Amino acid sequence: MYVEALGLFDKLMCYPYLKPDSYTYPSVLKACGGLCRVVLGQMVHTCLIKTGLMVDIVVRSSLVSRYAKCNSFEYAIQLFDEMPDKDVACWNTVISCYYQSRKFEEALRYFGMMRRYGFEPDSVTITTAISSCARLFDSERGREIHKELIKSGFWMDSFVSSALVDMYRKCGHLEMAIEIFEQMPKKSVVSWNSMITGYGFKGDCFSCVQLFKRMYNEGVKPTLTTLSSILMACSRSVQLLEGKFVHGYIIRNRIQPDIFINNSLMDLYFKCGKVESVENIFKLIPKTTPVSWNVMISGYVTEGKLFEALNLFSEIRQSSVEPDAITFASVLAACSQLAALEKGREIHNLIVERNLGNNEVVMGALLEMYAKCGVVALELFAKMLLSNVKPDRVTFLAILPTCSHAGLVDDGLYHFNEMINVHGIAARVEHYSCLTTLLGRAGRLHEAYEIL
């Protein structure tokens, strides 16, 4: 009850013969942090300096925590570094500051310092340290922390166990994650989600659905993350029945799906050829970001509904949503397949207007569109290199057919060698196929046969 606590503090300050003490200020600072009252927190800080209460370790620790909760991480760390005495809560605050600032190496460095100074880490410290290892995909350090916990007989609560499951899963050690998960007496929703996501990345939607059923039977309510992870797994493995099962659960339980669930459902139904189902979902969902539009446009292109993709691109331009790089790349793919040069040039102008000329994905799609339309795109390729945009395999898959259409055999061979020797890109079957076509059209059959 932060508001009430601060209200009482205001009343206390009105009494001339009563003064707040070292028991008052930690609660006041906690309330300031809870409400993110930055100005009031700074005023309290000033009072503490004037009254000399900054020497109290609990007060100072509370002040560090207050700055951290108001996202003033630099002040929190500065105060911490100036403290002559520190407690575990204070160490936890500063380690969490670095973690929340995505400075995971620093979080682990302070974790190491804490132990060297003789402080015993608690569940909060361990959880943050393991989570930092997970973010860095550093299974070695994570495994070392785990071994030390076992050796010291540290009681691993649901937070620590969930962090370990997530760390091993993110680092690709799914078997180890399963072992810890199955040993947990009480499994948190975070640990269930970690396991489902782990199986999801493998495309094992059957295991995801089994875990989902177990989760439900054990009385753990699935979150939106749970549902979107399962749907993504169903989409990856193109399993319509399992996806429909989850979709049915969402409808029956009147769950309001978020953007991730909606997009996963659309992607699943597109991959299973259920275009009408996708269109029904798209009609009902809010379209405030380009993500859902992109799923629809790329899905239409994949299904060969190229005019529908172009029409949808016209719709997004008339809406309040700004198309992004993926939107342009997807609609350019439609232009490529239709050999719609004029439409492609129109989209090219829009790309220039939006300063997306340096985007690798967009430039690759543009090159491919011009190549498919039979227009020489070497000038655009040269501009791409001058812009310091590194070409990839797709870029050269667009350049080689362009040289073939224009009869520029030597240029094609030059760019093929450049791809391998300058950019270090390994040639694939598709590149060799383009090269043999280029040589064949030029009548250089002997060289083409050699490559074959």
Side-chain angles (χ1 to χ4, degrees), residues 43-95:
M43 287 168 66
V44 172
H45 189 175
T46 305
C47 289
L48 291 170
I49 294 167
K50 286 179 180 177
T51 56
L53 287 171
M54 285 290 284
V55 293
D56 188 285
I57 187 171
V58 178
V59 171
R60 200 170 181 114
S61 182
S62 300
L63 191 60
V64 171
S65 180
R66 201 285 303 176
Y67 277 114
K69 282 180 179 173
C70 293
N71 296 321
S72 301
F73 297 143
E74 286 182 19
Y75 286 115
I77 292 163
Q78 184 183 330
L79 266 173
F80 173 83
D81 287 337
E82 291 169 358
M83 286 174 72
D85 298 309
K86 300 170 175 70
D87 59 9
V88 172
C90 215
W91 280 101
N92 286 347
T93 299
V94 82
I95 291 167

Short mmCIF file of all heavy atoms in Angstrom, two decimals, residues 43-95:
data_model
loop_
_atom_site.label_atom_id
_atom_site.label_comp_id
_atom_site.label_asym_id
_atom_site.label_seq_id
_atom_site.Cartn_x
_atom_site.Cartn_y
_atom_site.Cartn_z
N MET A 43 14.44 13.69 -3.02
CA MET A 43 14.27 14.52 -1.83
C MET A 43 14.62 13.73 -0.57
O MET A 43 15.29 14.24 0.34
CB MET A 43 12.82 15.04 -1.75
CG MET A 43 12.51 16.12 -2.77
SD MET A 43 10.75 16.46 -2.90
CE MET A 43 10.42 17.15 -1.27
N VAL A 44 14.17 12.49 -0.51
CA VAL A 44 14.47 11.61 0.62
C VAL A 44 15.98 11.39 0.71
O VAL A 44 16.56 11.41 1.81
CB VAL A 44 13.71 10.27 0.51
CG1 VAL A 44 14.18 9.29 1.58
CG2 VAL A 44 12.21 10.51 0.60
N HIS A 45 16.61 11.18 -0.45
CA HIS A 45 18.06 11.01 -0.51
C HIS A 45 18.77 12.21 0.12
O HIS A 45 19.70 12.06 0.93
CB HIS A 45 18.50 10.82 -1.97
CG HIS A 45 19.93 10.43 -2.13
ND1 HIS A 45 20.48 10.12 -3.35
CD2 HIS A 45 20.94 10.30 -1.23
CE1 HIS A 45 21.76 9.80 -3.20
NE2 HIS A 45 22.06 9.92 -1.92
N THR A 46 18.32 13.41 -0.21
CA THR A 46 18.89 14.64 0.35
C THR A 46 18.72 14.68 1.87
O THR A 46 19.65 15.04 2.60
CB THR A 46 18.21 15.88 -0.29
OG1 THR A 46 18.32 15.79 -1.71
CG2 THR A 46 18.86 17.17 0.18
N CYS A 47 17.50 14.30 2.34
CA CYS A 47 17.24 14.26 3.78
C CYS A 47 18.19 13.31 4.50
O CYS A 47 18.68 13.60 5.60
CB CYS A 47 15.80 13.83 4.06
SG CYS A 47 14.57 15.05 3.62
N LEU A 48 18.45 12.18 3.87
CA LEU A 48 19.33 11.17 4.46
C LEU A 48 20.75 11.69 4.61
O LEU A 48 21.42 11.42 5.62
CB LEU A 48 19.32 9.90 3.62
CG LEU A 48 18.03 9.08 3.62
CD1 LEU A 48 18.09 8.00 2.56
CD2 LEU A 48 17.79 8.46 4.99
N ILE A 49 21.21 12.45 3.61
CA ILE A 49 22.57 13.02 3.68
C ILE A 49 22.63 14.04 4.81
O ILE A 49 23.58 14.06 5.61
CB ILE A 49 22.94 13.67 2.32
CG1 ILE A 49 23.06 12.58 1.22
CG2 ILE A 49 24.25 14.45 2.43
CD1 ILE A 49 23.12 13.12 -0.19
N LYS A 50 21.58 14.91 4.91
CA LYS A 50 21.56 15.96 5.94
C LYS A 50 21.49 15.38 7.35
O LYS A 50 22.11 15.90 8.28
CB LYS A 50 20.35 16.88 5.71
CG LYS A 50 20.52 17.82 4.52
CD LYS A 50 19.27 18.68 4.34
CE LYS A 50 19.43 19.64 3.16
NZ LYS A 50 18.18 20.42 2.94
N THR A 51 20.73 14.32 7.51
CA THR A 51 20.54 13.74 8.86
C THR A 51 21.63 12.76 9.25
O THR A 51 21.66 12.28 10.39
CB THR A 51 19.17 13.02 8.94
OG1 THR A 51 19.10 12.04 7.90
CG2 THR A 51 18.02 14.01 8.80
N GLY A 52 22.50 12.41 8.30
CA GLY A 52 23.59 11.50 8.60
C GLY A 52 23.18 10.04 8.65
O GLY A 52 23.95 9.19 9.12
N LEU A 53 21.98 9.74 8.16
CA LEU A 53 21.49 8.36 8.21
C LEU A 53 22.02 7.48 7.08
O LEU A 53 21.72 6.29 7.02
CB LEU A 53 19.95 8.34 8.19
CG LEU A 53 19.27 8.79 9.49
CD1 LEU A 53 17.77 8.95 9.28
CD2 LEU A 53 19.52 7.77 10.60
N MET A 54 22.81 8.09 6.19
CA MET A 54 23.37 7.31 5.07
C MET A 54 24.36 6.24 5.55
O MET A 54 24.70 5.33 4.82
CB MET A 54 24.08 8.25 4.09
CG MET A 54 23.14 9.05 3.21
SD MET A 54 22.29 8.05 1.98
CE MET A 54 23.58 7.78 0.79
N VAL A 55 24.82 6.40 6.79
CA VAL A 55 25.77 5.41 7.31
C VAL A 55 25.10 4.08 7.63
O VAL A 55 25.76 3.05 7.74
CB VAL A 55 26.48 5.94 8.58
CG1 VAL A 55 27.37 7.12 8.24
CG2 VAL A 55 25.47 6.30 9.67
N ASP A 56 23.77 4.11 7.77
CA ASP A 56 23.02 2.88 8.09
C ASP A 56 22.97 1.98 6.86
O ASP A 56 22.50 2.38 5.79
CB ASP A 56 21.60 3.24 8.55
CG ASP A 56 20.86 2.02 9.07
OD1 ASP A 56 20.44 1.20 8.23
OD2 ASP A 56 20.69 1.89 10.29
N ILE A 57 23.43 0.74 7.00
CA ILE A 57 23.53 -0.18 5.85
C ILE A 57 22.17 -0.51 5.25
O ILE A 57 22.02 -0.61 4.03
CB ILE A 57 24.30 -1.47 6.24
CG1 ILE A 57 24.55 -2.33 5.00
CG2 ILE A 57 23.56 -2.25 7.32
CD1 ILE A 57 25.47 -3.50 5.25
N VAL A 58 21.14 -0.64 6.11
CA VAL A 58 19.80 -0.98 5.62
C VAL A 58 19.22 0.19 4.83
O VAL A 58 18.61 0.02 3.77
CB VAL A 58 18.86 -1.38 6.78
CG1 VAL A 58 17.46 -1.68 6.26
CG2 VAL A 58 19.42 -2.57 7.52
N VAL A 59 19.42 1.42 5.35
CA VAL A 59 18.93 2.63 4.67
C VAL A 59 19.61 2.77 3.32
O VAL A 59 18.96 3.01 2.30
CB VAL A 59 19.18 3.88 5.54
CG1 VAL A 59 18.89 5.16 4.74
CG2 VAL A 59 18.31 3.84 6.80
N ARG A 60 20.94 2.63 3.32
CA ARG A 60 21.69 2.79 2.07
C ARG A 60 21.32 1.71 1.06
O ARG A 60 21.19 1.96 -0.13
CB ARG A 60 23.19 2.75 2.38
CG ARG A 60 24.02 3.38 1.27
CD ARG A 60 25.45 3.54 1.70
NE ARG A 60 26.22 4.16 0.64
CZ ARG A 60 26.77 5.36 0.72
NH1 ARG A 60 26.62 6.09 1.81
NH2 ARG A 60 27.48 5.85 -0.29
N SER A 61 21.13 0.50 1.53
CA SER A 61 20.71 -0.60 0.66
C SER A 61 19.34 -0.32 0.05
O SER A 61 19.10 -0.59 -1.14
CB SER A 61 20.69 -1.90 1.45
OG SER A 61 20.35 -2.98 0.64
N SER A 62 18.44 0.24 0.86
CA SER A 62 17.09 0.60 0.38
C SER A 62 17.16 1.68 -0.69
O SER A 62 16.39 1.68 -1.64
CB SER A 62 16.21 1.07 1.54
OG SER A 62 16.07 0.07 2.51
N LEU A 63 18.12 2.61 -0.51
CA LEU A 63 18.29 3.70 -1.49
C LEU A 63 18.80 3.15 -2.82
O LEU A 63 18.34 3.55 -3.90
CB LEU A 63 19.27 4.73 -0.93
CG LEU A 63 19.37 6.06 -1.68
CD1 LEU A 63 18.03 6.78 -1.73
CD2 LEU A 63 20.43 6.95 -1.05
N VAL A 64 19.73 2.21 -2.75
CA VAL A 64 20.24 1.56 -3.97
C VAL A 64 19.09 0.87 -4.70
O VAL A 64 18.93 0.99 -5.92
CB VAL A 64 21.35 0.54 -3.62
CG1 VAL A 64 21.72 -0.31 -4.84
CG2 VAL A 64 22.59 1.24 -3.09
N SER A 65 18.25 0.16 -3.93
CA SER A 65 17.10 -0.55 -4.51
C SER A 65 16.12 0.42 -5.14
O SER A 65 15.56 0.14 -6.19
CB SER A 65 16.42 -1.37 -3.41
OG SER A 65 15.32 -2.06 -3.92
N ARG A 66 15.92 1.58 -4.48
CA ARG A 66 14.97 2.58 -5.01
C ARG A 66 15.43 3.10 -6.37
O ARG A 66 14.64 3.19 -7.32
CB ARG A 66 14.88 3.75 -4.00
CG ARG A 66 13.65 4.61 -4.10
CD ARG A 66 13.58 5.58 -5.27
NE ARG A 66 14.69 6.50 -5.31
CZ ARG A 66 14.86 7.37 -6.29
NH1 ARG A 66 14.04 7.40 -7.32
NH2 ARG A 66 15.89 8.18 -6.30
N TYR A 67 16.71 3.43 -6.49
CA TYR A 67 17.24 3.90 -7.78
C TYR A 67 17.11 2.82 -8.85
O TYR A 67 16.79 3.10 -10.00
CB TYR A 67 18.69 4.35 -7.63
CG TYR A 67 18.84 5.77 -7.12
CD1 TYR A 67 19.40 6.03 -5.88
CD2 TYR A 67 18.41 6.85 -7.89
CE1 TYR A 67 19.53 7.34 -5.41
CE2 TYR A 67 18.53 8.15 -7.43
CZ TYR A 67 19.09 8.40 -6.18
OH TYR A 67 19.21 9.68 -5.73
N ALA A 68 17.35 1.58 -8.45
CA ALA A 68 17.25 0.47 -9.41
C ALA A 68 15.83 0.31 -9.92
O ALA A 68 15.59 0.14 -11.11
CB ALA A 68 17.72 -0.82 -8.75
N LYS A 69 14.84 0.39 -8.99
CA LYS A 69 13.44 0.20 -9.39
C LYS A 69 12.94 1.33 -10.28
O LYS A 69 11.99 1.15 -11.04
CB LYS A 69 12.57 0.07 -8.15
CG LYS A 69 12.66 -1.32 -7.53
CD LYS A 69 11.79 -1.46 -6.31
CE LYS A 69 11.91 -2.87 -5.74
NZ LYS A 69 11.22 -3.00 -4.46
N CYS A 70 13.57 2.52 -10.16
CA CYS A 70 13.20 3.66 -11.02
C CYS A 70 14.07 3.70 -12.27
O CYS A 70 14.13 4.71 -12.97
CB CYS A 70 13.32 4.96 -10.24
SG CYS A 70 12.13 5.11 -8.90
N ASN A 71 14.77 2.58 -12.56
CA ASN A 71 15.61 2.42 -13.76
C ASN A 71 16.79 3.39 -13.81
O ASN A 71 17.35 3.63 -14.88
CB ASN A 71 14.77 2.56 -15.04
CG ASN A 71 13.74 1.46 -15.16
OD1 ASN A 71 14.01 0.32 -14.83
ND2 ASN A 71 12.55 1.80 -15.61
N SER A 72 17.17 3.95 -12.65
CA SER A 72 18.36 4.80 -12.59
C SER A 72 19.54 3.91 -12.17
O SER A 72 20.09 4.03 -11.07
CB SER A 72 18.14 5.93 -11.58
OG SER A 72 17.03 6.72 -11.94
N PHE A 73 19.91 3.00 -13.08
CA PHE A 73 20.88 1.97 -12.75
C PHE A 73 22.27 2.54 -12.43
O PHE A 73 22.97 2.04 -11.56
CB PHE A 73 20.99 0.95 -13.89
CG PHE A 73 19.73 0.18 -14.13
CD1 PHE A 73 19.33 -0.17 -15.42
CD2 PHE A 73 18.91 -0.21 -13.08
CE1 PHE A 73 18.16 -0.89 -15.65
CE2 PHE A 73 17.75 -0.92 -13.29
CZ PHE A 73 17.37 -1.26 -14.58
N GLU A 74 22.66 3.62 -13.15
CA GLU A 74 23.98 4.19 -12.93
C GLU A 74 24.12 4.73 -11.51
O GLU A 74 25.15 4.54 -10.85
CB GLU A 74 24.25 5.31 -13.95
CG GLU A 74 24.54 4.79 -15.35
CD GLU A 74 24.84 5.91 -16.33
OE1 GLU A 74 25.18 7.02 -15.88
OE2 GLU A 74 24.74 5.65 -17.54
N TYR A 75 23.07 5.44 -11.02
CA TYR A 75 23.10 5.95 -9.65
C TYR A 75 23.14 4.81 -8.64
O TYR A 75 23.83 4.89 -7.63
CB TYR A 75 21.86 6.82 -9.38
CG TYR A 75 21.91 8.18 -10.05
CD1 TYR A 75 21.01 8.51 -11.06
CD2 TYR A 75 22.86 9.13 -9.68
CE1 TYR A 75 21.05 9.76 -11.68
CE2 TYR A 75 22.91 10.37 -10.30
CZ TYR A 75 22.00 10.68 -11.30
OH TYR A 75 22.05 11.90 -11.91
N ALA A 76 22.36 3.77 -8.92
CA ALA A 76 22.32 2.61 -8.01
C ALA A 76 23.70 1.98 -7.88
O ALA A 76 24.16 1.70 -6.76
CB ALA A 76 21.30 1.59 -8.52
N ILE A 77 24.38 1.79 -9.02
CA ILE A 77 25.70 1.15 -9.01
C ILE A 77 26.73 2.07 -8.35
O ILE A 77 27.60 1.62 -7.60
CB ILE A 77 26.11 0.77 -10.45
CG1 ILE A 77 25.20 -0.36 -10.96
CG2 ILE A 77 27.58 0.34 -10.52
CD1 ILE A 77 25.21 -0.55 -12.44
N GLN A 78 26.63 3.39 -8.63
CA GLN A 78 27.56 4.35 -8.03
C GLN A 78 27.43 4.34 -6.50
O GLN A 78 28.43 4.31 -5.78
CB GLN A 78 27.26 5.75 -8.58
CG GLN A 78 28.23 6.82 -8.09
CD GLN A 78 27.88 8.20 -8.59
OE1 GLN A 78 27.30 8.36 -9.66
NE2 GLN A 78 28.21 9.22 -7.80
N LEU A 79 26.18 4.37 -6.00
CA LEU A 79 25.93 4.32 -4.56
C LEU A 79 26.49 3.04 -3.96
O LEU A 79 27.11 3.04 -2.89
CB LEU A 79 24.43 4.38 -4.28
CG LEU A 79 23.82 5.76 -4.00
CD1 LEU A 79 22.31 5.63 -3.92
CD2 LEU A 79 24.35 6.34 -2.70
N PHE A 80 26.27 1.94 -4.67
CA PHE A 80 26.74 0.63 -4.20
C PHE A 80 28.26 0.61 -4.08
O PHE A 80 28.81 0.15 -3.07
CB PHE A 80 26.27 -0.46 -5.17
CG PHE A 80 26.83 -1.82 -4.89
CD1 PHE A 80 26.25 -2.64 -3.92
CD2 PHE A 80 27.95 -2.29 -5.57
CE1 PHE A 80 26.78 -3.90 -3.65
CE2 PHE A 80 28.47 -3.54 -5.31
CZ PHE A 80 27.88 -4.35 -4.34
N ASP A 81 28.94 1.13 -5.13
CA ASP A 81 30.41 1.13 -5.14
C ASP A 81 30.98 1.99 -4.01
O ASP A 81 32.10 1.74 -3.53
CB ASP A 81 30.94 1.61 -6.49
CG ASP A 81 30.73 0.57 -7.59
OD1 ASP A 81 30.60 -0.63 -7.25
OD2 ASP A 81 30.68 0.95 -8.77
N GLU A 82 30.23 3.02 -3.59
CA GLU A 82 30.69 3.93 -2.53
C GLU A 82 30.42 3.39 -1.12
O GLU A 82 30.92 3.94 -0.14
CB GLU A 82 30.02 5.30 -2.68
CG GLU A 82 30.49 6.07 -3.91
CD GLU A 82 29.63 7.30 -4.19
OE1 GLU A 82 28.64 7.52 -3.43
OE2 GLU A 82 29.93 8.03 -5.15
N MET A 83 29.61 2.33 -1.03
CA MET A 83 29.24 1.79 0.28
C MET A 83 30.42 1.08 0.94
O MET A 83 30.99 0.16 0.35
CB MET A 83 28.08 0.80 0.14
CG MET A 83 26.75 1.45 -0.13
SD MET A 83 25.46 0.22 -0.44
CE MET A 83 25.22 -0.46 1.20
N PRO A 84 30.79 1.49 2.19
CA PRO A 84 31.87 0.77 2.88
C PRO A 84 31.45 -0.63 3.31
O PRO A 84 32.24 -1.56 3.29
CB PRO A 84 32.14 1.67 4.10
CG PRO A 84 30.89 2.46 4.30
CD PRO A 84 30.24 2.60 2.98
N ASP A 85 30.17 -0.76 3.70
CA ASP A 85 29.62 -2.07 4.08
C ASP A 85 28.46 -2.40 3.16
O ASP A 85 27.66 -1.53 2.80
CB ASP A 85 29.13 -2.04 5.53
CG ASP A 85 30.27 -1.75 6.50
OD1 ASP A 85 31.30 -2.45 6.41
OD2 ASP A 85 30.12 -0.83 7.32
N LYS A 86 28.34 -3.67 2.83
CA LYS A 86 27.28 -4.10 1.91
C LYS A 86 26.60 -5.32 2.50
O LYS A 86 27.21 -6.08 3.24
CB LYS A 86 27.86 -4.43 0.54
CG LYS A 86 28.58 -3.26 -0.15
CD LYS A 86 29.33 -3.73 -1.38
CE LYS A 86 29.95 -2.58 -2.16
NZ LYS A 86 31.07 -1.93 -1.45
N ASP A 87 25.33 -5.51 2.11
CA ASP A 87 24.63 -6.73 2.50
C ASP A 87 24.22 -7.51 1.26
O ASP A 87 24.37 -7.03 0.13
CB ASP A 87 23.44 -6.44 3.41
CG ASP A 87 22.41 -5.53 2.76
OD1 ASP A 87 22.54 -5.26 1.53
OD2 ASP A 87 21.47 -5.08 3.44
N VAL A 88 23.70 -8.71 1.43
CA VAL A 88 23.34 -9.57 0.29
C VAL A 88 22.27 -8.92 -0.58
O VAL A 88 22.34 -8.97 -1.81
CB VAL A 88 22.84 -10.95 0.81
CG1 VAL A 88 22.28 -11.79 -0.33
CG2 VAL A 88 23.99 -11.71 1.47
N ALA A 89 21.31 -8.26 0.07
CA ALA A 89 20.23 -7.59 -0.69
C ALA A 89 20.79 -6.55 -1.63
O ALA A 89 20.33 -6.40 -2.78
CB ALA A 89 19.23 -6.95 0.28
N CYS A 90 21.82 -5.82 -1.15
CA CYS A 90 22.44 -4.78 -1.97
C CYS A 90 23.20 -5.38 -3.15
O CYS A 90 23.14 -4.88 -4.27
CB CYS A 90 23.39 -3.97 -1.08
SG CYS A 90 23.44 -2.25 -1.53
N TRP A 91 23.95 -6.46 -2.89
CA TRP A 91 24.63 -7.17 -3.98
C TRP A 91 23.61 -7.65 -5.02
O TRP A 91 23.82 -7.51 -6.23
CB TRP A 91 25.39 -8.37 -3.43
CG TRP A 91 26.71 -8.04 -2.81
CD1 TRP A 91 26.99 -7.92 -1.49
CD2 TRP A 91 27.95 -7.78 -3.51
NE1 TRP A 91 28.32 -7.61 -1.31
CE2 TRP A 91 28.94 -7.53 -2.53
CE3 TRP A 91 28.31 -7.76 -4.85
CZ2 TRP A 91 30.26 -7.24 -2.85
CZ3 TRP A 91 29.64 -7.48 -5.18
CH2 TRP A 91 30.59 -7.22 -4.20
N ASN A 92 22.49 -8.20 -4.56
CA ASN A 92 21.45 -8.68 -5.47
C ASN A 92 20.91 -7.56 -6.35
O ASN A 92 20.67 -7.74 -7.54
CB ASN A 92 20.30 -9.31 -4.68
CG ASN A 92 20.66 -10.66 -4.11
OD1 ASN A 92 21.68 -11.25 -4.48
ND2 ASN A 92 19.85 -11.17 -3.21
N THR A 93 20.72 -6.38 -5.73
CA THR A 93 20.18 -5.23 -6.47
C THR A 93 21.11 -4.84 -7.60
O THR A 93 20.68 -4.64 -8.73
CB THR A 93 19.96 -4.04 -5.52
OG1 THR A 93 19.02 -4.41 -4.52
CG2 THR A 93 19.43 -2.83 -6.28
N VAL A 94 22.41 -4.73 -7.29
CA VAL A 94 23.34 -4.26 -8.32
C VAL A 94 23.56 -5.32 -9.41
O VAL A 94 23.70 -4.99 -10.60
CB VAL A 94 24.67 -3.80 -7.68
CG1 VAL A 94 25.62 -4.94 -7.39
CG2 VAL A 94 25.36 -2.76 -8.56
N ILE A 95 23.55 -6.60 -9.03
CA ILE A 95 23.66 -7.68 -10.03
C ILE A 95 22.43 -7.65 -10.95
O ILE A 95 22.55 -7.79 -12.18
CB ILE A 95 23.82 -9.05 -9.34
CG1 ILE A 95 25.20 -9.14 -8.65
CG2 ILE A 95 23.67 -10.20 -10.35
CD1 ILE A 95 25.36 -10.30 -7.70
#
